[in-house]
Amino acid sequence: MEFTSYRYRIYPNREQREFFELNFYCCTLVWNLMREDKARHYLESGKILQTTPAQYKKKYPVLSRADSMALCNVQQNLQNAYNRFFSNVENQIRGGIQGKNTGPFPGGNLILPAVSEGKTMQIFGSGREASGCRSAGM
């Protein structure tokens, strides 16, 4: 099975750019808070702490404005990292998006429902295959 990746450049408007910045900030904040709490708890008790992004929303109200699915993905990614670390699993598949081919985008527009609420962002580029690209990023 061969995977194909595409490289695109998007140009979000000001509102969408603020949404991205807020979510990247909140995801980084949640990752660091959860990692710190898990590490401290493990050193104190020898057990892995189960944390959720919701428990930080009172102390950091900005998290209430972030996309909840993005924060849930941070929680899952951190838990997966801890599981791999403690189980010493080798030969894990890393990077890349697996599954159905999602590009090229019809009409040259990218629709991200959580970001644009039905609005589209113009995609610039030929939709050519990206050589050596193993993951998607913004």
Side-chain angles (χ1 to χ4, degrees), residues 31-41 78 82:
W31 176 278
N32 290 332
L33 291 170
M34 291 174 73
R35 185 185 50 80
E36 182 181 330
D37 288 346
K38 282 179 176 279
R40 186 177 333 113
H41 186 267
L78 184 61
Y82 268 80

Side-chain angles (χ1 to χ4, degrees), residues 15-16 19 111-120:
E15 180 181 319
Q16 292 165 337
F19 180 83
I111 299 173
L112 300 173
V115 176
S116 56
E117 296 177 9
K119 299 175 189 170
T120 60

Side-chain angles (χ1 to χ4, degrees), residues 74-124:
V74 169
Q75 175 190 0
Q76 289 177 345
N77 291 340
L78 184 61
Q79 188 60 45
N80 288 339
Y82 268 80
N83 290 343
R84 283 194 310 270
F85 177 77
F86 285 110
S87 66
N88 293 323
V89 175
E90 293 186 14
N91 301 322
Q92 291 283 331
I93 298 174
R94 293 184 186 1
I97 296 176
Q98 299 178 7
K100 70 177 190 176
N101 188 352
T102 58
F105 299 100
N109 289 318
L110 174 64
I111 299 173
L112 300 173
V115 176
S116 56
E117 296 177 9
K119 299 175 189 170
T120 60
M121 286 185 271
Q122 188 67 36
I123 296 178
F124 294 91

Side-chain angles (χ1 to χ4, degrees), residues 11-69:
Y11 294 95
N13 62 28
R14 187 180 57 80
E15 180 181 319
Q16 292 165 337
R17 193 170 32 248
E18 290 172 0
F19 180 83
F20 283 131
E21 290 172 359
L22 173 72
N23 279 288
F24 291 148
Y25 168 76
C26 289
C27 287
T28 304
L29 177 65
V30 167
W31 176 278
N32 290 332
L33 291 170
M34 291 174 73
R35 185 185 50 80
E36 182 181 330
D37 288 346
K38 282 179 176 279
R40 186 177 333 113
H41 186 267
Y42 183 77
L43 289 174
E44 292 171 357
S45 68
K47 296 181 182 178
I48 297 176
L49 178 66
Q50 298 299 322
T51 58
T52 63
Q55 71 190 54
Y56 300 105
K57 287 186 178 182
K58 267 190 180 172
K59 189 172 182 181
Y60 300 94
V62 69
L63 296 177
S64 298
R65 295 179 22 219
D67 182 35
S68 62
M69 290 305 296

